[in-house]
Amino acid sequence: MSKLLEIKGLSVTLPSKSDRQYAINDVSIFVEKNEILCVVGESGSGKSVTAFSVMGIYDKRALTISKGEILFDGYDLAKVNEDQFRKFRGKKLAMIFQEPMTALNPVMKVGEQITEILEIHTDLTPGKRKSKAIEAMENVKLPDPEKIFHSYPHELSGGQRQRIMIAMALVLEPDLLIADEPTTALDVTTQATILELIKEIQVRRGMGVLFITHDFGVVADIADRVVVMQQGVVVEQDTVNQILANPQHEYTKMLIGSVPSMVPPQKKSIDVQAVLELTTIDKKFGKSSLFRNDRIVRAVDQVSLKVAPGETLGIVGESGSGKSTVARCAIRLIEPDSGSILIKDIDIAKLRESGLRHLRREIQIVFQDPYRSLNPRRTVGQSIVEGPMNFGQSEEAAIHKAKDLMEIVGLKPDNFNRFPHQFSGGQRQRICIARALAMEPAILIADEAVSALDVSVQAQVLELLEDIKKKFSLAVLFITHDLRVAAQICDNIVVMKKGAVVEMGATHEIYTQPTHPYTQSLLQAAPGQKYF
């Protein structure tokens, strides 16, 4: 096979006050035609910097290519200027980004965003550009491409937006596709479909694919070869079978060992009274009137569940299944249309804010994105003490408790006066957990709290949640689309589809003997089952 892309001894220098000299140091990798090369490693390993260097879109104010070559199509991309790069991007090189909602223009219809690429790089007429865009959308198996062509990004689901990104990347049939964590935030069935789609298109067109991920389950399903990076350095590279079956480097072994198993441990049933109980909760979105007939979405349909102290109840299902709406109803961030929500035998479903205030401390939530959850202008210490002080605790007592909690969640109390941007993603999530615990809640809701974290950091945060649950006898409502995580942390599972509960029971029973076809399809779609 001929090498499509060859990176030789590439080093990219970080700004002078950084924690290390190089973002990537002496990196040598290659991608052949008609193969998928997966680059894996934790956050900060240099995966994305490598990809952005190939595309020429790294931050040139902060990063500098200090040595090495990026050989592609007879050129050294480390040395070409921006005008030359424009001729490559789209036509020869294309990229799919991790978060399509931020990569797509929110004020342009998605069809126009695809035709814009064709307008820049081809001489096609407007009619032919539209036809080619529709064809690209059909190739990524979007339903009703004609209708979606005229839709805005916010009108599409996460999986549909990601397909639009793939259609944009492939419309000019590039030689090399770079995919930067394209399935991280997707549920298992959508993820499986997107991975299958990328593999199918790659084989059909004979493309080379540079696929960046931290998920070894994804690697097992899609890779031909694997490159493992740590702290900006390539520590191991080989075929996917060799890496997964016989890893050589300790770091590779650690990453593979951090992948949660799909086999849940047997757990004892918890026989204590529930501290949170939802009964026949309903929630609809959309309005209908004499003059308007908007689509009514039944986001939550007659959902009943209960969680006891010391129990972790998982809610799993695809995007749009109603998982997060149930959580937001439980914490009364939104008001249910009907049903009851009992917290320690008090029904909060219809309470006004004045009646809710004293119960707010009983139930706390940790969201998916800790960076958006924390105020960037306040120190982490200020964020942790704010809640207890609002409920009457003295500043001195609140600070003392906050520092104790920082130690409990594995952070140094000396970092009390640092700002959120000075921490890693995993550390920020620990801060959010400490902030929630500062209120001494009876119930903790974790809404996709580990989905964006590296497998090793994820393992640490999950262990932390389990320890905290036991230490404080918390009832935990754990919402996730990651079935591997749910298998290891949840005592019981609720499976949701289109707002309704289709199956519930002990995690071990649900995983080993699923009765509903939807549950069976979810479990079958989990990546990497051949190896993990």
Side-chain angles (χ1 to χ4, degrees):
M1 283 190 175
S2 58
K3 289 177 183 174
L4 180 64
L5 170 74
E6 187 170 15
I7 299 172
K8 290 183 171 181
L10 188 68
S11 295
V12 175
T13 309
L14 286 164
S16 57
K17 292 184 180 178
S18 302
D19 60 352
R20 64 181 198 244
Q21 186 178 356
Y22 296 105
I24 56 174
N25 186 19
D26 199 25
V27 167
S28 295
I29 61 175
F30 63 90
V31 183
E32 295 180 337
K33 288 180 180 176
N34 200 25
E35 82 157 351
I36 297 178
L37 176 73
C38 276
V39 182
V40 294
E42 296 171 292
S43 297
S45 63
K47 308 184 302 289
S48 292
V49 172
T50 303
F52 292 165
S53 298
V54 174
M55 288 295 293
I57 56 173
Y58 60 93
D59 185 354
K60 295 175 178 65
R61 295 165 301 177
L63 302 173
T64 310
I65 293 180
S66 52
K67 64 177 181 179
E69 300 173 302
I70 306 170
L71 304 178
F72 177 80
D73 199 38
Y75 290 85
D76 180 359
L77 299 183
K79 295 183 173 63
V80 301
N81 60 37
E82 186 57 30
D83 287 337
Q84 287 174 303
F85 246 123
R86 284 200 189 98
K87 293 173 186 173
F88 284 110
R89 289 191 204 113
K91 214 165 188 178
K92 296 273 189 179
L93 293 167
M95 188 161 186
I96 307 166
F97 295 93
Q98 179 173 350
E99 181 41 74
M101 196 61 187
T102 53
L104 293 167
N105 187 331
V107 296
M108 273 179 81
K109 292 174 180 174
V110 294
E112 292 169 359
Q113 298 188 52
I114 300 174
T115 56
E116 183 181 46
I117 295 166
L118 294 165
E119 187 178 357
I120 292 166
H121 291 283
T122 71
D123 298 323
L124 295 174
T125 62
K128 286 186 177 175
R129 288 200 295 267
K130 182 180 178 183
S131 297
K132 196 158 178 66
I134 295 284
E135 184 189 341
M137 290 162 77
E138 286 170 347
N139 286 340
V140 297
K141 299 177 182 171
L142 276 162
D144 199 353
E146 195 71 50
K147 181 185 175 188
I148 288 179
F149 184 92
H150 297 287
S151 301
Y152 290 96
H154 72 271
E155 296 177 304
L156 306 177
S157 71
Q160 288 174 331
R161 285 194 292 265
Q162 197 59 281
R163 286 166 195 245
I164 290 293
M165 285 289 298
I166 296 170
M168 287 173 70
L170 298 180
V171 71
L172 290 170
E173 302 191 5
D175 298 324
L176 179 69
L177 176 68
I178 298 173
D180 186 11
E181 302 272 16
T183 61
T184 296
L186 302 178
D187 54 63
V188 283
T189 48
T190 308
Q191 182 186 62
T193 307
I194 295 291
L195 292 175
E196 195 179 305
L197 180 64
I198 290 172
K199 186 89 175 172
E200 179 196 311
I201 292 169
Q202 175 260 328
V203 169
R204 193 169 72 233
R205 298 189 179 181
M207 283 188 310
V209 177
L210 182 65
F211 195 102
I212 292 162
T213 183
H214 63 250
D215 187 338
F216 260 102
V218 169
V219 170
D221 283 356
I222 202 170
D224 295 308
R225 287 189 303 112
V226 181
V227 168
V228 183
M229 293 186 72
Q230 180 188 25
Q231 294 277 303
V233 177
V234 173
V235 296
E236 189 167 357
Q237 55 181 313
D238 212 320
T239 63
V240 64
N241 291 334
Q242 183 63 28
I243 291 282
L244 292 174
N246 189 25
Q248 299 300 304
H249 197 277
E250 288 304 314
Y251 180 69
T252 312
K253 292 175 185 175
M254 183 277 291
L255 287 179
I256 292 171
S258 298
V259 178
S261 167
M262 277 291 285
V263 181
Q266 286 270 21
K267 296 192 178 185
K268 291 179 184 175
S269 59
I270 294 162
D271 189 22
V272 291
Q273 187 178 355
V275 70
L276 171 67
E277 186 169 356
L278 277 60
T279 308
T280 58
I281 294 293
D282 267 322
K283 183 64 185 177
K284 298 185 189 76
F285 293 107
K287 291 181 180 178
S288 188
S289 68
L290 186 63
F291 305 105
R292 292 181 64 179
N293 190 21
D294 292 349
R295 188 165 69 101
I296 303 292
V297 176
R298 197 162 187 176
V300 178
D301 183 3
Q302 296 284 293
V303 169
S304 298
L305 56 86
K306 55 176 76 172
V307 200
E311 177 191 2
T312 300
L313 176 68
I315 306 182
V316 300
E318 296 171 296
S319 297
S321 62
K323 307 186 299 292
S324 292
T325 307
V326 168
R328 282 160 172 73
C329 285
I331 201 168
R332 273 297 307 275
L333 289 177
I334 55 176
E335 188 175 321
D337 297 329
S338 63
S340 65
I341 303 166
L342 297 181
I343 294 180
K344 294 185 175 177
D345 295 328
I346 299 169
D347 188 356
I348 68 164
K350 297 296 178 189
L351 284 182
R352 297 191 173 195
E353 188 56 42
S354 56
L356 267 173
R357 190 176 187 276
H358 75 285
L359 285 165
R360 286 281 184 207
R361 67 187 307 162
E362 296 289 351
I363 183 165
Q364 293 291 305
I365 189 165
V366 179
F367 292 101
Q368 179 173 354
D369 187 345
Y371 199 65
R372 288 170 63 190
S373 301
L374 295 165
N375 187 332
R377 297 185 176 209
R378 307 194 76 181
T379 66
V380 298
Q382 289 172 325
S383 291
I384 296 169
V385 301
E386 180 182 21
M389 286 176 66
N390 283 344
F391 277 84
Q393 196 166 61
S394 70
E395 184 177 5
E396 185 182 354
I399 289 172
H400 180 72
K401 183 199 279 184
K403 289 185 174 180
D404 284 347
L405 284 169
M406 286 180 77
E407 283 199 277
I408 287 170
V409 301
L411 294 170
K412 293 177 181 173
D414 301 351
N415 295 331
F416 187 84
N417 292 315
R418 289 171 68 184
F419 289 89
H421 73 270
Q422 295 174 295
F423 294 87
S424 70
Q427 288 173 323
R428 284 196 288 265
Q429 198 60 290
R430 289 165 184 263
I431 291 159
C432 289
I433 293 168
R435 181 178 63 177
L437 294 175
M439 300 300 293
E440 299 179 6
I443 305 145
L444 182 69
I445 296 177
D447 188 2
E448 300 281 13
V450 296
S451 65
L453 303 177
D454 300 318
V455 282
S456 55
V457 179
Q458 188 182 76
Q460 292 164 16
V461 173
L462 290 174
E463 193 177 321
L464 171 66
L465 283 170
E466 188 69 16
D467 289 346
I468 284 165
K469 178 185 77 173
K470 290 172 183 171
K471 186 180 176 75
F472 296 99
S473 194
L474 285 172
V476 179
L477 190 62
F478 193 88
I479 291 147
T480 184
H481 64 250
D482 190 329
L483 296 174
R484 291 182 177 281
V485 167
Q488 295 309 306
I489 198 168
C490 299
D491 301 292
N492 296 295
I493 287 278
V494 171
V495 183
M496 289 188 68
K497 180 185 181 184
K498 293 183 178 176
V501 173
V502 297
E503 193 164 358
M504 64 193 301
T507 305
H508 192 270
E509 287 175 22
I510 295 283
Y511 273 63
T512 53
Q513 296 175 310
T515 57
H516 197 280
Y518 178 70
T519 310
Q520 292 165 2
S521 70
L522 281 181
L523 292 168
Q524 285 163 8
Q529 295 194 51
K530 180 180 171 186
Y531 287 96
F532 303 106

